[in-house]
Short mmCIF file of all heavy atoms in Angstrom, two decimals:
data_model
loop_
_atom_site.label_atom_id
_atom_site.label_comp_id
_atom_site.label_asym_id
_atom_site.label_seq_id
_atom_site.Cartn_x
_atom_site.Cartn_y
_atom_site.Cartn_z
N GLY A 905 31.63 67.30 -147.87
CA GLY A 905 32.96 67.82 -148.31
C GLY A 905 33.84 68.07 -147.14
O GLY A 905 34.99 68.58 -147.39
N ALA A 906 33.43 67.71 -145.99
CA ALA A 906 34.20 67.82 -144.78
C ALA A 906 35.16 66.68 -144.61
O ALA A 906 34.82 65.55 -145.08
CB ALA A 906 33.43 67.97 -143.55
N ASP A 907 36.38 66.85 -144.18
CA ASP A 907 37.28 65.84 -144.09
C ASP A 907 37.77 65.52 -142.58
O ASP A 907 38.68 64.67 -142.38
CB ASP A 907 38.54 65.98 -145.00
CG ASP A 907 39.13 67.40 -144.76
OD1 ASP A 907 38.98 67.97 -143.64
OD2 ASP A 907 39.74 67.93 -145.79
N THR A 908 37.26 66.31 -141.65
CA THR A 908 37.64 66.24 -140.18
C THR A 908 36.49 66.36 -139.42
O THR A 908 35.55 67.25 -139.78
CB THR A 908 38.69 67.28 -139.90
OG1 THR A 908 39.82 67.17 -140.81
CG2 THR A 908 39.24 67.15 -138.44
N ILE A 909 36.40 65.57 -138.35
CA ILE A 909 35.23 65.92 -137.35
C ILE A 909 35.90 66.41 -136.02
O ILE A 909 37.01 66.02 -135.63
CB ILE A 909 34.34 64.68 -137.06
CG1 ILE A 909 35.09 63.54 -136.43
CG2 ILE A 909 33.63 64.20 -138.36
CD1 ILE A 909 34.24 62.45 -135.95
N TRP A 910 35.28 67.37 -135.48
CA TRP A 910 35.58 67.76 -134.15
C TRP A 910 34.49 67.35 -133.18
O TRP A 910 33.36 67.77 -133.40
CB TRP A 910 35.80 69.32 -134.06
CG TRP A 910 35.64 70.01 -132.83
CD1 TRP A 910 35.58 69.50 -131.48
CD2 TRP A 910 35.12 71.36 -132.49
NE1 TRP A 910 35.39 70.44 -130.54
CE2 TRP A 910 35.10 71.58 -131.17
CE3 TRP A 910 34.89 72.49 -133.38
CZ2 TRP A 910 34.64 72.75 -130.62
CZ3 TRP A 910 34.55 73.64 -132.84
CH2 TRP A 910 34.47 73.84 -131.44
N LEU A 911 34.84 66.62 -132.23
CA LEU A 911 33.85 65.99 -131.27
C LEU A 911 33.86 66.77 -129.94
O LEU A 911 34.73 66.81 -129.27
CB LEU A 911 34.26 64.53 -131.05
CG LEU A 911 33.25 63.50 -130.54
CD1 LEU A 911 32.09 63.41 -131.57
CD2 LEU A 911 33.92 62.15 -130.36
N SER A 912 32.66 67.39 -129.72
CA SER A 912 32.56 68.05 -128.42
C SER A 912 32.54 66.91 -127.39
O SER A 912 32.40 65.78 -127.65
CB SER A 912 31.12 68.86 -128.42
OG SER A 912 31.30 69.96 -129.16
N PRO A 913 32.62 67.30 -126.05
CA PRO A 913 33.03 66.34 -125.03
C PRO A 913 32.14 65.04 -124.96
O PRO A 913 30.93 65.15 -124.92
CB PRO A 913 32.89 67.09 -123.77
CG PRO A 913 33.07 68.49 -124.18
CD PRO A 913 32.54 68.60 -125.51
N VAL A 914 32.85 63.96 -124.95
CA VAL A 914 32.15 62.55 -124.75
C VAL A 914 32.56 62.00 -123.43
O VAL A 914 32.29 60.79 -123.17
CB VAL A 914 32.25 61.68 -125.95
CG1 VAL A 914 31.52 62.22 -127.19
CG2 VAL A 914 33.77 61.47 -126.26
N TYR A 915 33.43 62.72 -122.64
CA TYR A 915 34.03 62.09 -121.48
C TYR A 915 32.98 61.84 -120.36
O TYR A 915 31.92 62.42 -120.41
CB TYR A 915 35.13 63.00 -120.98
CG TYR A 915 36.13 63.46 -121.98
CD1 TYR A 915 35.97 64.79 -122.48
CD2 TYR A 915 37.22 62.74 -122.41
CE1 TYR A 915 36.85 65.33 -123.38
CE2 TYR A 915 38.13 63.14 -123.35
CZ TYR A 915 37.91 64.49 -123.90
OH TYR A 915 38.78 64.89 -124.76
N GLU A 916 33.46 61.06 -119.40
CA GLU A 916 32.54 60.82 -118.25
C GLU A 916 32.34 62.14 -117.57
O GLU A 916 33.20 62.97 -117.35
CB GLU A 916 33.23 59.95 -117.30
CG GLU A 916 32.45 59.57 -116.01
CD GLU A 916 33.21 58.68 -115.06
OE1 GLU A 916 33.95 59.09 -114.24
OE2 GLU A 916 32.94 57.38 -115.16
N SER A 917 30.95 62.44 -117.22
CA SER A 917 30.64 63.76 -116.68
C SER A 917 29.26 63.72 -116.07
O SER A 917 28.41 62.97 -116.48
CB SER A 917 30.62 64.75 -117.88
OG SER A 917 29.99 66.02 -117.53
N PRO A 918 29.02 64.49 -114.98
CA PRO A 918 27.67 64.69 -114.41
C PRO A 918 26.77 65.43 -115.33
O PRO A 918 25.56 65.57 -115.03
CB PRO A 918 28.05 65.33 -113.14
CG PRO A 918 29.45 65.23 -112.80
CD PRO A 918 30.02 65.23 -114.17
N MET A 919 27.35 66.10 -116.38
CA MET A 919 26.57 66.85 -117.29
C MET A 919 25.89 68.05 -116.79
O MET A 919 24.86 68.46 -117.31
CB MET A 919 25.55 65.91 -118.02
CG MET A 919 26.09 64.71 -118.77
SD MET A 919 27.01 65.15 -120.22
CE MET A 919 25.80 65.44 -121.42
N VAL A 920 26.56 68.73 -115.79
CA VAL A 920 26.01 70.06 -115.40
C VAL A 920 26.10 71.05 -116.51
O VAL A 920 25.28 71.92 -116.75
CB VAL A 920 26.78 70.51 -114.04
CG1 VAL A 920 26.46 71.93 -113.72
CG2 VAL A 920 26.52 69.60 -112.99
N ASP A 921 27.28 71.00 -117.22
CA ASP A 921 27.57 71.90 -118.37
C ASP A 921 27.77 71.04 -119.57
O ASP A 921 28.62 71.36 -120.40
CB ASP A 921 28.79 72.74 -118.05
CG ASP A 921 29.03 73.81 -119.06
OD1 ASP A 921 28.05 74.17 -119.87
OD2 ASP A 921 30.18 74.30 -119.18
N MET A 922 26.93 70.03 -119.88
CA MET A 922 26.90 69.25 -121.06
C MET A 922 28.21 68.71 -121.42
O MET A 922 28.69 68.73 -122.57
CB MET A 922 26.19 70.13 -122.23
CG MET A 922 24.81 70.51 -122.06
SD MET A 922 23.78 68.95 -121.84
CE MET A 922 24.08 68.02 -123.35
N GLY A 923 28.90 68.16 -120.44
CA GLY A 923 30.17 67.53 -120.70
C GLY A 923 31.42 68.35 -120.55
O GLY A 923 32.48 67.73 -120.61
N TYR A 924 31.09 69.56 -120.31
CA TYR A 924 32.40 70.37 -120.10
C TYR A 924 32.82 70.47 -118.62
O TYR A 924 33.64 71.21 -118.23
CB TYR A 924 32.15 71.84 -120.68
CG TYR A 924 32.24 71.81 -122.17
CD1 TYR A 924 31.11 71.62 -123.00
CD2 TYR A 924 33.44 72.13 -122.78
CE1 TYR A 924 31.24 71.63 -124.26
CE2 TYR A 924 33.56 72.18 -124.20
CZ TYR A 924 32.45 71.89 -124.96
OH TYR A 924 32.54 71.87 -126.27
N ASP A 925 32.16 69.60 -117.89
CA ASP A 925 32.48 69.31 -116.52
C ASP A 925 32.87 67.80 -116.46
O ASP A 925 32.06 66.96 -116.32
CB ASP A 925 31.32 69.58 -115.57
CG ASP A 925 30.01 69.01 -116.03
OD1 ASP A 925 29.74 69.03 -117.21
OD2 ASP A 925 29.26 68.49 -115.12
N ILE A 926 34.16 67.60 -116.54
CA ILE A 926 34.67 66.13 -116.75
C ILE A 926 35.02 65.55 -115.41
O ILE A 926 35.78 66.09 -114.68
CB ILE A 926 35.88 66.21 -117.73
CG1 ILE A 926 35.48 66.72 -119.06
CG2 ILE A 926 36.51 64.80 -117.88
CD1 ILE A 926 36.61 66.95 -120.01
N SER A 927 34.46 64.35 -115.12
CA SER A 927 34.78 63.69 -113.96
C SER A 927 35.85 62.51 -114.15
O SER A 927 36.43 62.11 -113.22
CB SER A 927 33.60 63.01 -113.37
OG SER A 927 32.90 62.20 -114.31
N ASN A 928 36.17 62.22 -115.46
CA ASN A 928 37.20 61.25 -115.69
C ASN A 928 37.56 61.44 -117.20
O ASN A 928 36.79 61.06 -118.06
CB ASN A 928 36.81 59.78 -115.45
CG ASN A 928 38.01 58.83 -115.41
OD1 ASN A 928 38.97 59.04 -116.30
ND2 ASN A 928 37.98 57.89 -114.55
N TYR A 929 38.84 61.78 -117.45
CA TYR A 929 39.33 62.13 -118.84
C TYR A 929 39.43 60.81 -119.61
O TYR A 929 39.38 60.69 -120.87
CB TYR A 929 40.57 62.85 -118.89
CG TYR A 929 40.51 64.26 -118.46
CD1 TYR A 929 41.02 64.57 -117.15
CD2 TYR A 929 40.05 65.18 -119.30
CE1 TYR A 929 40.87 65.97 -116.75
CE2 TYR A 929 39.94 66.58 -118.86
CZ TYR A 929 40.38 66.96 -117.62
OH TYR A 929 40.31 68.27 -117.18
N GLU A 930 39.60 59.74 -118.92
CA GLU A 930 39.97 58.43 -119.59
C GLU A 930 38.76 57.40 -119.69
O GLU A 930 38.96 56.37 -120.07
CB GLU A 930 41.08 57.71 -118.77
CG GLU A 930 42.31 58.59 -118.80
CD GLU A 930 43.40 57.96 -117.88
OE1 GLU A 930 43.47 56.73 -117.80
OE2 GLU A 930 44.17 58.71 -117.25
N LYS A 931 37.59 57.99 -119.39
CA LYS A 931 36.33 57.14 -119.54
C LYS A 931 35.40 57.93 -120.43
O LYS A 931 35.44 59.16 -120.55
CB LYS A 931 35.79 56.84 -118.30
CG LYS A 931 36.52 55.85 -117.40
CD LYS A 931 35.80 55.43 -116.13
CE LYS A 931 36.65 54.46 -115.37
NZ LYS A 931 35.92 54.02 -114.10
N ILE A 932 34.50 57.23 -121.01
CA ILE A 932 33.37 57.77 -121.90
C ILE A 932 32.08 57.77 -121.06
O ILE A 932 31.77 56.88 -120.29
CB ILE A 932 33.20 56.86 -123.20
CG1 ILE A 932 34.54 56.94 -124.01
CG2 ILE A 932 32.00 57.43 -124.03
CD1 ILE A 932 34.88 58.29 -124.45
N ASN A 933 31.29 58.93 -121.21
CA ASN A 933 29.98 58.97 -120.60
C ASN A 933 29.17 57.83 -121.11
O ASN A 933 29.00 57.70 -122.31
CB ASN A 933 29.37 60.35 -120.96
CG ASN A 933 28.15 60.57 -120.16
OD1 ASN A 933 27.33 59.66 -119.83
ND2 ASN A 933 27.93 61.89 -119.95
N PRO A 934 28.52 57.04 -120.28
CA PRO A 934 27.79 55.87 -120.75
C PRO A 934 26.62 56.34 -121.62
O PRO A 934 26.09 55.48 -122.49
CB PRO A 934 27.18 55.24 -119.49
CG PRO A 934 28.21 55.68 -118.45
CD PRO A 934 28.78 57.00 -118.85
N LEU A 935 26.15 57.53 -121.56
CA LEU A 935 25.12 58.10 -122.45
C LEU A 935 25.58 58.00 -123.87
O LEU A 935 24.78 57.76 -124.79
CB LEU A 935 24.79 59.57 -122.22
CG LEU A 935 23.89 59.80 -121.04
CD1 LEU A 935 23.95 61.36 -120.72
CD2 LEU A 935 22.45 59.35 -121.31
N TYR A 936 26.91 58.16 -124.11
CA TYR A 936 27.44 58.13 -125.45
C TYR A 936 28.08 56.82 -125.96
O TYR A 936 28.21 56.55 -127.13
CB TYR A 936 28.58 59.23 -125.52
CG TYR A 936 28.10 60.65 -125.30
CD1 TYR A 936 28.86 61.46 -124.44
CD2 TYR A 936 26.85 61.10 -125.79
CE1 TYR A 936 28.35 62.71 -124.17
CE2 TYR A 936 26.39 62.39 -125.46
CZ TYR A 936 27.22 63.25 -124.68
OH TYR A 936 26.80 64.45 -124.45
N GLY A 937 28.38 55.92 -125.01
CA GLY A 937 28.98 54.67 -125.36
C GLY A 937 30.10 54.17 -124.46
O GLY A 937 30.13 54.52 -123.19
N THR A 938 31.09 53.56 -125.13
CA THR A 938 32.21 53.00 -124.35
C THR A 938 33.52 53.48 -124.93
O THR A 938 33.60 53.97 -126.09
CB THR A 938 32.12 51.50 -124.36
OG1 THR A 938 32.23 51.07 -125.64
CG2 THR A 938 30.78 51.01 -123.82
N LEU A 939 34.58 53.06 -124.22
CA LEU A 939 35.90 53.30 -124.77
C LEU A 939 36.11 52.51 -126.11
O LEU A 939 36.74 53.00 -127.08
CB LEU A 939 37.01 52.95 -123.86
CG LEU A 939 37.51 54.01 -122.87
CD1 LEU A 939 38.56 53.45 -121.92
CD2 LEU A 939 38.10 55.20 -123.56
N GLU A 940 35.50 51.42 -126.14
CA GLU A 940 35.66 50.56 -127.39
C GLU A 940 34.89 51.17 -128.56
O GLU A 940 35.36 51.10 -129.64
CB GLU A 940 35.03 49.14 -127.06
CG GLU A 940 35.84 48.30 -126.23
CD GLU A 940 35.84 48.71 -124.73
OE1 GLU A 940 34.79 49.45 -124.35
OE2 GLU A 940 36.76 48.40 -123.90
N ASP A 941 33.80 51.87 -128.20
CA ASP A 941 33.10 52.61 -129.28
C ASP A 941 33.86 53.69 -129.81
O ASP A 941 33.96 54.02 -131.05
CB ASP A 941 31.76 53.13 -128.75
CG ASP A 941 30.68 52.10 -128.46
OD1 ASP A 941 30.80 51.06 -129.03
OD2 ASP A 941 29.87 52.34 -127.51
N MET A 942 34.69 54.37 -128.94
CA MET A 942 35.51 55.48 -129.34
C MET A 942 36.64 54.97 -130.27
O MET A 942 37.03 55.52 -131.27
CB MET A 942 36.07 56.30 -128.14
CG MET A 942 35.19 57.43 -127.70
SD MET A 942 34.92 58.65 -129.00
CE MET A 942 36.59 59.12 -129.46
N ASP A 943 37.21 53.76 -129.88
CA ASP A 943 38.32 53.16 -130.68
C ASP A 943 37.73 52.87 -132.08
O ASP A 943 38.45 53.15 -133.07
CB ASP A 943 38.83 51.92 -130.01
CG ASP A 943 39.63 52.08 -128.71
OD1 ASP A 943 40.14 53.24 -128.62
OD2 ASP A 943 39.65 51.33 -127.83
#
């Protein structure tokens, strides 16, 4: 019954703080996939 998802960080990151330490806002962490996957 949910109609919206909120995605916690998937950006490029060294993952010191599980993605809340972002090294590039315009790239996806390879652990999660690619920009094409996000599209």
Side-chain angles (χ1 to χ4, degrees):
D907 51 26
T908 304
I909 64 170
W910 155 24
L911 201 59
S912 288
V914 290
Y915 312 100
E916 183 181 85
S917 168
M919 300 292 278
V920 171
D921 188 20
M922 291 306 298
Y924 285 86
D925 49 320
I926 297 170
S927 53
N928 192 322
Y929 291 103
E930 300 174 32
K931 290 185 178 180
I932 297 297
N933 189 328
L935 280 172
Y936 300 136
T938 64
L939 273 176
E940 290 73 23
D941 291 333
M942 270 302 301
D943 290 335

